[in-house]
């Protein structure tokens, strides 16, 4: 892997390349982002005989995974989470840890001899003046020209903390979940976790197990909760089976199943949701996979409280009028995709800042511009972006991107 590309349109030859290999083409396909989606796309393009150059703004691949909290494990199975061309090792176990995901991504790039250029951030993508390719504006005034572009900057790009009234003058400890690592700093402390997605739910359990004196979980909308696995059957398997079924049908099936498999937590502040599970998924809300939250709520070690409305006089004001004064507030409130500066001028984003298309489809007004990893499917993000990578590569090849050099794909 190289440290930075040259200032002209031709990036450096990968360290693994042999001097006997032919000179690489002037217009490779640029892949923006060295996470799972970007690496999978680069491999799939290579498998089609197309040169792909991954541009990663950090110093390593898998940067976002390195920043996640310590106890994180995949909620999808190892067998259905590997990227194309290299299964995850069996020694990683069924539910792969954060550190093993990072090791796998490093090995993936090395094993496939992917051309990854680190320390380069792309700030803007636009058509070349002649309309035959794409011009990327990158770190240090670089301008790189590609035959096509795959944007894989990630679903969790920029931490988002709501602009709660009084937030800017709040003097207590307030951090985003992206900055949470483990419960050690919060032992014997009162902590309020805001947000009951998978991250908020798991951090709340982590705090309880790590010795926090009190843990409250602020909930605006009651989530759908699933057992990660029931009698050996992973929830992901069901997600794969229902992936393409009608939304209404899945909603009707999920309701009775939830009542059979999960206790009613209404008395503890978590009523059963009043909207369908799959309807929520299509609105961008993935079910919470239980890794201890249900038991923690039933025991009272995680207290469910109302949504945060504002900060006032050093206290947190909740939607029901309650005022609490925790020692720390951890906002598990999601992320921005942060694509506006990169491609917003191309009219390829919807009102929520997400790509209007993804996978092998390209916007009608931007042929050759692909997006991967910006959905959060019920069947597992790693599984879906792996399939998208193969489809994108075939679409690029079909559109006539010139093979740069047919390096061996291992």
């Amino acid at each position: 892997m190289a440290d930075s590309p040259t200032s002209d349109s031709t990036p450096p030859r990968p360290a693994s390349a042999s001097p006997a290999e032919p000179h690489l083409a002037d217009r490779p396909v640029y892949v923006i982002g060295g996470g799972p989606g970007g690496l999978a796309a680069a491999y799939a393009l290579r498998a089609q005989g197309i040169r792909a150059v991954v541009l990663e703004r950090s110093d390593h691949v898998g940067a976002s995974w390195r920043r996640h909290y310590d106890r994180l494990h995949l909620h999808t199975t190892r067998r259905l989470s590997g990227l194309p061309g290299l299964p995850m090792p069996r020694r990683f176990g069924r539910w792969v840890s954060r550190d093993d995901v990072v090791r796998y991504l490093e090995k993936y790039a090395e094993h496939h001899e992917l051309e990854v250029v680190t320390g380069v951030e792309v700030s803007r993508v636009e058509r070349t003046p002649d309309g035959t390719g794409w011009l990327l504006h990158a770190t240090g005034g670089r301008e790189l020209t590609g035959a096509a572009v795959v944007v894989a900057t990630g679903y969790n790009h920029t931490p988002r903390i709501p602009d709660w009234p009084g937030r800017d003058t709040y003097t207590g400890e307030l951090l985003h979940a992206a900055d949470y690592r483990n419960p050690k700093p919060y032992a014997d402390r009162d902590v309020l976790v805001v947000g009951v997605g998978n991250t908020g739910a798991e951090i709340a359990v982590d705090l309880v197990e790590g010795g926090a004196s009190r843990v409250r979980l602020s909930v605006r909308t009651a989530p759908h909760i699933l057992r990660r696995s029931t009698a050996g059957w992973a929830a992901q398997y069901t997600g794969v089976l229902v992936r393409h079924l009608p939304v209404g049908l899945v909603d009707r099936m999920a309701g009775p199943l939830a009542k059979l498999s999960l206790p009613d937590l209404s008395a503890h502040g978590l009523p059963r949701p009043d909207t369908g599970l799959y309807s929520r998924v299509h609105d961008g809300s993935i079910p919470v996979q239980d890794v201890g939250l249900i038991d923690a709520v039933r025991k009272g070690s995680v207290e469910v409280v109302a949504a945060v409305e504002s900060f006032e006089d050093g206290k947190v004001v909740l939607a029901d009028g309650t005022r609490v004064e925790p020692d720390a507030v951890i906002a598990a409130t999601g992320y921005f995709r942060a694509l506006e500066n990169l491609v917003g001028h191309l009219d390829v984003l919807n009102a929520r800042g997400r790509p209007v298309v993804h996978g092998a489809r390209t916007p009608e007004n931007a042929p050759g511009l692909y997006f991967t990893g910006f959905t959060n499917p019920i069947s597992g993000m790693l599984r879906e972006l792996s399939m998208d990578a193969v489809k994108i590569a075939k679409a690029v090849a079909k559109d006539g991107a010139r093979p740069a050099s047919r390096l061996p794909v291992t």
Side-chain angles (χ1 to χ4, degrees):
M1 289 184 279
D3 293 328
S4 61
T6 56
S7 57
D8 61 17
S9 61
T10 305
R13 184 185 303 272
S16 59
S18 165
E21 290 172 348
H23 191 274
L24 300 177
D26 291 335
R27 290 190 176 183
V29 173
Y30 281 106
V31 180
I32 307 175
L39 297 180
Y43 165 77
L45 287 161
R46 276 273 306 275
Q48 291 290 329
I50 299 169
R51 184 185 179 204
V53 179
V54 179
L55 303 176
E56 167 55 45
R57 65 176 180 168
S58 75
D59 294 332
H60 307 279
V61 298
S64 64
W65 281 94
R66 297 171 191 271
R67 295 193 299 267
H68 287 312
Y69 48 94
D70 294 349
R71 73 171 280 156
L72 178 66
H73 285 67
L74 291 179
H75 291 164
T76 55
T77 66
R78 171 185 52 80
R79 293 184 62 188
L80 296 185
S81 298
L83 303 181
L86 185 68
M88 286 189 171
R90 290 177 59 88
R91 68 178 182 277
F92 285 178
R94 193 181 196 197
W95 312 108
V96 183
S97 71
R98 177 204 64 185
D99 290 347
D100 281 338
V101 171
V102 171
R103 292 186 185 98
Y104 172 72
L105 295 178
E106 291 174 337
K107 181 64 177 179
Y108 191 86
E110 176 187 353
H111 178 77
H112 292 307
E113 299 181 344
L114 300 181
E115 191 171 352
V116 180
V117 185
T118 59
V120 174
E121 183 172 9
V122 179
S123 57
R124 185 178 174 91
V125 176
E126 59 189 16
R127 296 295 290 181
T128 55
D130 63 5
T132 61
W134 291 95
L135 181 64
L136 287 69
H137 299 271
T139 306
R142 298 173 179 86
E143 293 186 346
L144 308 171
T145 305
V149 174
V150 180
V151 180
T153 50
Y155 193 85
N156 296 337
H157 187 275
T158 302
R160 170 187 173 271
I161 297 182
D163 190 19
W164 290 301
R167 189 195 78 181
D168 293 341
T169 58
Y170 180 63
T171 57
E173 183 178 349
L174 170 63
L175 68 151
H176 191 273
D179 296 316
Y180 175 87
R181 292 294 173 268
N182 58 63
K184 290 181 181 178
Y186 308 97
D188 300 318
R189 299 178 70 193
D190 181 338
V191 185
L192 173 66
V193 180
V194 184
V196 70
N198 279 293
T199 297
E202 191 157 354
I203 287 176
V205 173
D206 199 32
L207 289 164
V208 168
E209 295 176 354
S213 63
R214 186 175 189 179
V215 178
R216 283 173 283 206
L217 182 60
S218 174
V219 176
R220 184 173 298 277
T221 303
H224 285 275
I225 302 176
L226 302 175
R227 300 284 190 189
R228 187 170 65 174
S229 179
T230 303
W233 178 265
Q236 183 188 12
Y237 298 161
T238 302
V240 171
L241 293 175
V242 305
R243 179 77 166 92
H244 299 293
L245 293 180
V247 173
L249 175 60
V250 179
D251 284 348
R252 291 192 295 272
M253 293 167 54
L257 289 175
K259 291 180 180 179
L260 287 174
S261 60
L262 299 169
D264 186 356
L265 300 175
S266 299
H268 302 279
L270 277 182
R272 295 191 188 278
D274 55 7
T275 54
L277 183 150
Y278 210 19
S279 295
R280 288 270 192 94
V281 171
H282 275 256
D283 288 337
S285 179
I286 290 295
V288 172
Q289 297 217 19
D290 178 47
V291 289
L293 180 66
I294 292 175
D295 287 343
V297 169
R298 294 177 73 181
K299 293 175 182 176
S301 51
V302 170
E303 305 170 46
V304 178
V305 298
V308 170
E309 288 295 310
S310 63
F311 292 80
E312 187 176 319
D313 298 328
K315 297 181 179 180
V316 183
V317 182
L318 304 180
D320 60 3
T322 304
R323 293 169 179 259
V324 298
E325 194 172 1
D327 297 318
V329 179
I330 300 175
T333 46
Y335 294 79
F336 294 112
R337 309 292 89 80
L339 292 170
E340 287 78 7
N341 291 336
L342 186 68
V343 296
H345 55 286
L346 298 173
D347 192 27
V348 295
L349 305 177
N350 63 21
R352 301 173 68 181
R354 299 181 182 182
V356 294
V357 297
H358 69 277
R361 298 168 58 200
T362 63
E364 292 184 6
N365 59 327
L369 180 63
Y370 299 85
F371 296 89
T372 183
F374 295 98
T375 61
N376 201 1
I378 195 172
S379 50
M381 180 179 288
L382 292 175
R383 176 181 181 272
E384 293 295 328
L385 62 80
S386 294
M387 294 191 297
D388 277 350
V390 175
K391 295 174 184 177
I392 288 170
K394 290 180 178 179
V396 172
K398 183 178 180 181
D399 288 343
R402 286 188 297 130
S405 64
R406 295 186 178 274
L407 303 178
V409 178
T410 55

